[in-house]
């Protein structure tokens, strides 16, 4: 059986875990956490980063930083993982679901402006499959309406956006910016299904410096303990709201091992992604199956290989066909506006494209342990498929 996912282990994790155990510092905000923060800040130029226990937690920190409350409206794509909306719904905000684009599963940026009202507090674009949304348009809209942008970059580590607008609010035309660094806040996931992982983990990137001080307090249970650890104050206490968002050094040490191998991980993922693409494109064109489209302004971090089938019956049949051949392919994301939890509260229109991807998208296994031969086996299996 070729399983859908296997978390990648570089081989250095156990060594770093041992070092963390041996150091005696096991709680959060220790040397390995600082090493991770430095890595993100140096490699991608993030102003300030904080490791979290998940991307969901990083999103919850955003709701506290933005003081999201009942009556606020948050614009979120319907075709996404639950967490994108959950963190905001938990604060009592109204989730205003946006549709996906006709030609890719990401949010339809041109439909966002019509959803903005005087109550809109934030837009949460998701860089689906690590492929950027049009951030020029989103940031321009946000600036004009004075609303915040929280990037759900859970899948988007080491992926980039190239500025395309002439008078862009985010940089000069042609500038290349890392995803997660463009909105006021950006959230990443290190769940085992993501490119870089530590089992469960996440990161908050604080791009608007106004939020830095409070973010550190919210991260450390509402206290200024981080300042105290740096020797900036001689005692610490309860300052604000917050929770225990910081992961232990065990998770941070594991993540360090992965970060050191980032370049190699990305190269290997890309090799498998490219093999799928070249092996399947002709077949896909013949059957009206759509492979991922990478806009000129986006890079592909090879987080995911997906195909959009011409209809749901085709999609369900191809999943069955691969399973009959011992290959686990899957579909994902049921439109959130139709979810059991939210459907009774949803007041908006039908979201035709969100529903389309719910019904027609299929994902193929993509991970480093997948051998070249296994990728070929999967391609051959799909080429044999009779719809
Ligand atoms: C994985 C994922 C999350 C959640 O990440 P966790 O670290 O598991 O909390 C949120 N949003 C998107 C788009 C994701 O893919």
């Amino acid at each position: 059986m070729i399983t859908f996912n296997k978390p990648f282990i570089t081989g250095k994790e156990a060594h770093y875990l041992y070092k963390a155990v041996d150091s005696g510092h096991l709680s959060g905000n220790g040397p390995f956490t600082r090493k991770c923060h430095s890595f993100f800040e140096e490699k991608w130029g993030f102003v300030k980063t904080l490791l979290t226990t998940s991307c969901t937690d990083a999103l919850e920190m955003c709701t506290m930083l933005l003081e999201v409350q009942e009556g606020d409206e948050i614009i979120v794509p319907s075709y996404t993982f639950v967490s994108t909306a959950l963190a905001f719904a938990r604060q009592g905000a109204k989730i205003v679901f946006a549709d996906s684009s006709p030609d890719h599963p990401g949010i339809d940026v041109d439909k966002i402006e019509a959803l903005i009202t005087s109550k809109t507090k934030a837009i949460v674009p998701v860089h689906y499959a690590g492929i950027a949304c049009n951030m020029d348009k989103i940031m321009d809209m946000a600036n004009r309406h004075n609303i915040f942008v929280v990037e759900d970059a859970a899948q988007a580590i080491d992926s980039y956006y190239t500025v395309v607008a002439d008078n862009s609010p985010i940089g000069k035309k042609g500038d290349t910016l890392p995803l997660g660094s463009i909105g006021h806040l950006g959230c990443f996931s290190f769940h085992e299904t993501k490119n870089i992982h530590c089992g469960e983990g996440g990161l908050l990137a604080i791009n608007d410096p106004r939020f830095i001080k409070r973010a550190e307090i919210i991260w450390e249970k509402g206290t200024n303990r981080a300042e105290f650890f740096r020797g900036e104050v001689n005692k610490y206490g309860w300052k604000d709201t917050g929770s225990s968002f910081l992961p232990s050094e065990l998770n941070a040490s594991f993540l360090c091992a992965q970060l050191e191998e980032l370049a190699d991980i990305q190269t290997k993922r890309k090799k498998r992604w490219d093999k799928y693409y070249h092996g399947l494109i002709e077949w896909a064109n013949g059957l009206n199956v759509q492979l991922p489209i990478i806009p000129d302004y986006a890079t592909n971090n090879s987080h995911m290989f997906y195909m959009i089938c011409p209809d749901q019956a085709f999609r369900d049949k191809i999943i069955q066909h691969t399973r009959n051949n011992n290959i686990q392919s899957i579909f994902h994301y049921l439109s959130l506006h139709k979810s059991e939890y939210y459907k009774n509260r949803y007041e908006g229109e039908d979201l035709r494209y969100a529903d389309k991807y719910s019904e027609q998208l299929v994902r193929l296994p993509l991970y480093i342990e997948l051998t070249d031969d296994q990728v070929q086996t999967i391609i051959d299996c799909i080429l044999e498929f009779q719809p």
Side-chain angles (χ1 to χ4, degrees):
M1 176 72 149
I2 302 179
T3 57
F4 178 70
N5 186 54
K6 270 189 199 162
F8 179 59
I9 304 293
T10 69
K12 289 188 192 165
E13 287 82 357
H15 175 62
Y16 281 175
L17 271 163
Y18 178 82
K19 274 172 81 171
V21 171
D22 199 43
S23 78
H25 187 142
L26 297 178
S27 62
N29 201 9
F32 281 109
T33 299
R34 284 195 292 275
K35 229 176 130 182
C36 292
H37 290 168
S38 306
F39 182 93
F40 295 114
E41 291 162 20
E42 280 159 26
K43 175 151 180 68
W44 289 299
F46 289 113
V47 181
K48 172 81 181 168
T49 53
L50 292 170
L51 281 190
T52 56
T53 44
S54 63
C55 179
T56 307
D57 265 3
L59 287 159
E60 286 189 8
M61 284 186 72
C62 295
T63 70
M64 294 181 187
L65 284 167
L66 302 182
E67 301 181 303
V68 173
Q69 48 192 309
E70 242 178 279
D72 289 341
E73 296 180 359
I74 311 289
I75 299 174
V76 174
S78 178
Y79 187 76
T80 181
F81 188 61
V82 174
S83 299
T84 317
L86 174 69
F88 297 93
R90 224 167 155 262
Q91 297 292 111
K94 177 178 164 188
I95 309 299
V96 177
F97 287 108
D99 207 356
S100 293
S101 166
D103 47 37
H104 65 82
I107 194 166
D108 186 342
V109 175
D110 297 320
K111 294 225 184 95
I112 297 176
E113 195 142 15
L115 301 173
I116 295 174
T117 72
S118 59
K119 294 181 185 159
T120 306
K121 183 116 201 192
I123 306 170
V124 192
V126 178
H127 303 299
Y128 180 79
I131 296 163
C133 302
N134 186 320
M135 292 306 290
D136 282 310
K137 289 189 183 175
I138 292 176
M139 295 310 291
D140 172 59
M141 230 179 300
N143 291 348
R144 279 188 288 106
H145 294 276
N146 201 19
I147 51 192
F148 293 107
V149 173
V150 176
E151 292 177 74
D152 181 339
Q155 304 173 3
I157 196 87
D158 196 33
S159 203
Y160 303 83
Y161 177 77
T162 301
V163 176
V164 281
D166 281 320
N167 287 311
S168 169
I170 56 176
K172 283 202 307 289
K173 195 169 173 165
D175 281 356
T176 295
L177 309 170
L179 298 184
S181 74
I182 304 167
H184 300 85
L185 299 159
C187 302
F188 293 92
S189 172
F190 305 122
H191 183 267
E192 69 168 36
T193 50
K194 305 301 199 283
N195 291 24
I196 302 284
H197 77 98
C198 59
E200 301 269 2
L203 183 82
L204 175 65
I206 303 128
N207 306 319
D208 182 335
R210 285 177 296 176
F211 294 123
I212 292 176
K213 192 161 179 200
R214 259 195 98 214
E216 251 187 6
I217 291 171
I218 287 170
W219 188 59
E220 269 273 27
K221 302 130 187 123
T223 75
N224 57 337
R225 186 151 73 176
E227 264 184 329
F228 174 72
F229 275 158
R230 286 196 299 266
E232 292 164 15
V233 289
N234 61 11
K235 59 180 180 350
Y236 72 91
W238 190 4
K239 297 283 184 186
D240 204 330
T241 187
S243 190
S244 187
F245 287 118
L246 68 177
S248 84
E249 282 283 285
L250 300 176
N251 289 61
S253 64
F254 191 109
L255 187 64
C256 264
Q258 298 253 323
L259 290 174
E260 283 181 10
E261 297 300 316
L262 173 76
D264 190 44
I265 290 172
Q266 299 297 72
T267 308
K268 287 179 171 153
R269 292 188 75 95
K270 182 166 190 315
K271 191 166 164 237
R272 286 150 183 75
W273 198 100
D274 287 346
K275 189 174 171 82
Y276 273 135
Y277 192 88
H278 296 300
L280 291 172
I281 186 70
E282 209 174 306
W283 168 85
N285 288 340
L287 285 174
N288 210 13
V289 171
Q290 190 199 311
L291 300 191
I293 294 171
I294 320 289
D296 290 343
Y297 54 70
T299 58
N300 175 19
N301 70 348
S302 309
H303 172 60
M304 193 195 292
F305 193 87
Y306 67 84
M307 311 192 288
I308 303 157
C309 303
D311 57 43
Q312 184 166 14
F314 187 116
R315 196 270 309 269
D316 294 348
K317 255 178 102 177
I318 202 164
I319 289 180
Q320 195 53 53
H321 171 73
T322 59
R323 293 201 177 180
N324 292 344
N325 287 279
N326 284 321
I327 296 160
Q328 214 179 18
S329 61
I330 64 159
F331 68 88
H332 74 163
Y333 299 157
L334 301 167
S335 299
L336 295 180
H337 70 290
K338 288 189 168 170
S339 63
E340 198 179 317
Y341 184 67
Y342 217 86
K343 66 178 180 216
N344 295 330
R345 275 178 275 177
Y346 180 66
E347 293 162 351
E349 307 175 356
D350 275 357
L351 302 176
R352 175 175 159 209
Y353 291 105
D355 291 346
K356 168 182 159 170
Y357 300 114
S358 289
E359 291 165 4
Q360 294 170 221
L361 188 140
V362 55
R363 298 174 62 187
L364 301 180
L366 179 62
Y367 48 91
I368 289 174
E369 276 186 51
L370 201 64
T371 63
D372 206 52
D373 284 350
Q374 284 177 315
V375 177
Q376 193 57 52
T377 302
I378 299 169
I379 293 171
D380 291 343
C381 168
I382 288 171
L383 297 181
E384 275 166 18
F385 174 66
Q386 302 288 342

